[in-house]
Amino acid sequence: MIDLTGKRGLVVGVANEVSIAAGCARAFRAAGAELALTCLNEKARPWVAPVAEEVGADLLLSCDVREPGQLEAVFDRITAEWGRLDFLLHAIAFAPKEDLQTSVVNASAEGFATAMDVSCHSFLRMARLARPLMRAGGALITVSFYGADRVVENYNLMGPVKAALEASVRYTAADLAGEGIRAYSLSTGPVKTRAASGIGRFDALMDEVRARTPSGKLVSIEEIGALAAFLATEAASPMSGSVIYADNGFHTTA
């Protein structure tokens, strides 16, 4: 029932075929959208290219937000090829391993700054670059996690970073509301992705979440993708600025 026919979207953060961004890209395409995808670099391209082919992506562009000019080059290409953008999915996060795998009070200033830049400030940079392409309005969606709201064992540095990301979404939604541009935080349950492999005892975390989830079932990337596709439609406009949970009800349990 979700219709994105005629819409064009940029998906940033596909790592491989089982990443959250890949599940979202499939859902966007199934709803009729035209897509552009990014991969981190040429080394990552072989892992992302099959997803781009599967969803018929018009563009597959390299984008490391830590490299000066690369993000701007992506939007320059979108401008040249499409001239507009209807929605964007920001699904990138990074923290240096040594800072992620220590307590938050022991994380280095450099590691904290890197995690904040890649995982949070990059969303604001994308919003700024997408804004002139969303002349008819649009949707900015980012991916968060319950650790932004509650202390999750071994989530460490990413907790404060994701909390900042969710706050940034609220302020972005307020800043751009007059232009018809919405912003959403999609807070998912744990998914076994390559990015999650850096979190200590992640398998144990998944087991604990499954045990506390009312259905006893972890969320899938297909379910997350379906919700992301809905958020890309105008029907989700009243929810702009919100944290939208995709965790089968885990966040409701004590």
Side-chain angles (χ1 to χ4, degrees):
M1 299 297 292
I2 300 171
D3 187 5
L4 294 174
T5 303
K7 304 289 189 183
R8 288 172 167 169
L10 172 63
V11 179
V12 180
V14 178
N16 53 40
E17 62 184 8
V18 297
S19 63
I20 289 174
C24 293
R26 294 186 187 103
F28 293 144
R29 182 57 187 152
E34 297 177 60
L35 298 176
L37 272 57
T38 73
C39 56
L40 179 62
N41 49 38
E42 288 305 306
K43 185 178 179 180
R45 184 174 290 267
W47 300 98
V48 183
V51 180
E53 183 176 355
E54 179 185 353
V55 301
D58 293 345
L59 299 169
L60 175 56
L61 306 171
S62 295
C63 182
D64 183 342
V65 297
R66 294 170 294 182
E67 293 295 326
Q70 283 202 11
L71 183 59
E72 289 75 12
V74 167
F75 280 86
D76 286 345
R77 187 72 181 277
I78 296 288
T79 301
E81 296 286 338
W82 286 348
R84 76 170 212 270
L85 193 64
D86 298 295
F87 63 89
L88 179 149
L89 177 75
H90 169 278
I92 58 174
F94 173 77
K97 185 175 181 179
E98 60 273 21
D99 293 289
L100 179 61
Q101 295 188 345
T102 188
S103 65
V104 69
V105 297
N106 286 324
S108 69
E110 295 78 12
F112 189 93
T114 296
M116 191 69 76
D117 181 52
V118 174
S119 311
C120 177
H121 189 254
S122 64
F123 172 77
L124 296 174
R125 290 174 61 197
M126 290 181 202
R128 183 168 61 249
L129 291 165
R131 184 180 186 179
L133 293 169
M134 292 183 169
R135 291 181 294 275
L140 305 167
I141 307 165
T142 191
V143 178
S144 188
F145 180 62
Y146 182 68
D149 190 53
R150 294 287 188 273
V151 175
V152 174
E153 186 179 6
N154 295 314
Y155 201 54
N156 300 333
L157 176 60
M158 289 309 298
V161 170
K162 289 293 190 181
L165 177 63
E166 291 184 2
S168 297
V169 166
R170 288 189 287 272
Y171 278 86
T172 297
D175 282 349
L176 304 182
E179 300 170 42
I181 299 174
R182 297 101 58 198
Y184 310 94
S185 300
L186 185 52
S187 182
T188 77
V191 176
K192 196 165 188 176
T193 62
R194 187 164 66 184
S197 65
I199 299 171
R201 298 185 67 250
F202 190 74
D203 287 341
L205 171 62
M206 294 182 72
D207 290 340
E208 291 166 11
V209 170
R210 185 185 294 108
R212 286 179 49 198
T213 299
S215 65
K217 186 183 75 168
L218 296 173
V219 71
S220 68
I221 61 172
E222 290 78 18
E223 291 169 323
I224 295 168
L227 187 50
F230 167 71
L231 294 177
T233 71
E234 287 78 3
S237 295
M239 304 166 75
S240 184
S242 299
V243 177
I244 315 299
Y245 289 95
D247 62 4
N248 285 338
F250 166 73
H251 72 283
T252 67
T253 63

